[in-house]
Amino acid sequence: MKKKIILIGIGFLIITLLFAGIFKVSKLRTFQLFGGLTYQVETENKVIALTFDDGPTKNVDQILPLLDKYKAKATFFLIGNDIEKHLEEAEKLVEAGHQIGNHTYSHERMVLKSPTFIKEEIEKTDELIRKAGYKGEIDFRPPYGKKLVGLPYYLNKHNRETIMWSLEPDTYYTSADEKVNYVIENIKPGSIILLHPMYDQTGGEIQAIEDILHKLTNDGYKFVTVDQLQEL
């Protein structure tokens, strides 16, 4: 009986460690089991990609003038459900010449999902992005950065990369000043910055964007889309 209990305990420990390992692999932003992944680009040119997840929402009307002021192009990874609610805002992003990416339809974690679910989440959102008038290649970014087997398999099968990021100020800080300082201290040519301004109700995230644009522009950096960055 004692031996049986020990074996059960060992089995439980192995399963726990296995799931912990799977969880860790699923959230890595610099690695996935197979298929292409970009989280930054090696270049000596002072160019970086500013990327925004979620939306679109009415906050587009605050973001676009800032990007235009600093002659910056950005990449917006949009949620299909939000595009349906705010198609006009998605169209504004397209008309302004920014890159549009796919961030799934429902923003659910794309781990332990069926192939059918993954396919529908991505392809339905692709259709909505095209409805907004976007003609370019549609890159993909997984919600919460989560990916394991099914998602990379689908993307690889359709010759699409996973686009991640190298700097994520929202993960570590809440105030605009802290976020800006984090970016300034860690920026380097080829960086991909992730921000979430679409649901900002306080104006703090919008202020962080303006300060990042202002300070890095003064430091000689140019803001380009992810596709433009990859071309380097």
Side-chain angles (χ1 to χ4, degrees):
M1 183 69 179
K2 184 177 180 181
K3 185 178 180 180
K4 184 177 180 181
I5 293 174
I6 292 173
L7 289 174
I8 292 174
I10 292 173
F12 179 76
L13 179 61
I14 291 173
I15 292 172
T16 301
L17 292 173
L18 179 62
F19 274 99
I22 290 173
F23 175 76
K24 185 174 182 179
V25 170
S26 74
K27 67 176 185 176
L28 291 174
R29 59 179 170 80
T30 62
F31 170 81
Q32 65 185 19
L33 294 175
F34 53 87
L37 180 148
T38 296
Y39 68 97
Q40 66 181 27
V41 170
E42 296 300 323
T43 178
E44 294 181 358
N45 298 322
K46 296 188 79 170
V47 291
I48 50 180
L50 194 58
T51 68
F52 304 114
D53 280 9
D54 308 336
T57 67
K58 294 295 183 180
N59 283 2
V60 163
D61 291 334
Q62 299 179 63
I63 300 167
L64 285 179
L66 292 179
L67 296 174
D68 186 57
K69 178 180 177 180
Y70 291 96
K71 297 181 173 56
K73 293 301 179 185
T75 303
F76 293 81
F77 289 94
L78 304 182
I79 299 172
N81 188 39
D82 282 341
I83 298 175
E84 284 184 331
K85 297 174 183 176
H86 301 282
L87 182 60
E88 183 179 346
E89 277 65 41
E91 292 171 340
K92 290 177 182 178
L93 296 175
V94 174
E95 291 169 3
H98 298 289
Q99 182 180 345
I100 307 299
N102 186 318
H103 202 40
T104 74
Y105 179 80
S106 65
H107 202 260
E108 290 192 31
R109 287 173 172 81
M110 301 292 277
V111 176
L112 303 180
K113 300 293 187 182
S114 70
T116 299
F117 180 85
I118 292 170
K119 180 177 185 292
E120 290 178 351
E121 284 281 309
I122 294 175
E123 295 184 5
K124 187 173 182 179
T125 304
D126 280 348
E127 291 176 3
L128 289 164
I129 290 173
R130 295 302 185 203
K131 185 177 180 180
Y134 187 68
K135 305 296 184 183
E137 179 181 348
I138 302 176
D139 286 337
F140 180 84
R141 174 174 284 166
Y144 312 102
K146 295 293 196 313
K147 66 266 181 300
L148 193 57
V149 177
L151 177 60
Y153 175 80
Y154 173 90
L155 295 174
N156 188 52
K157 183 179 178 181
H158 293 84
N159 298 311
R160 295 172 73 164
E161 272 196 303
T162 302
I163 304 299
M164 299 294 280
W165 57 86
S166 56
L167 298 179
E168 46 185 324
D170 293 343
T171 301
Y172 307 114
Y173 302 104
T174 55
S175 77
D177 288 343
E178 288 176 323
K179 293 177 183 181
V180 174
N181 290 336
Y182 163 81
V183 171
I184 300 304
E185 291 171 3
N186 293 280
I187 199 71
K188 68 176 186 177
S191 293
I192 298 177
I193 306 170
L194 166 61
L195 291 165
H196 300 82
M198 289 298 176
Y199 308 129
D200 176 30
Q201 300 296 318
T202 66
E205 191 80 346
I206 302 298
Q207 185 60 55
I209 293 170
E210 181 166 19
D211 290 347
I212 288 170
L213 287 165
H214 175 73
K215 293 187 178 184
L216 292 183
T217 298
N218 286 346
D219 198 28
Y221 279 97
K222 181 180 179 182
F223 294 86
V224 299
T225 66
V226 168
D227 278 351
Q228 291 171 331
L229 192 65
Q230 288 179 308
E231 289 175 2
L232 299 174

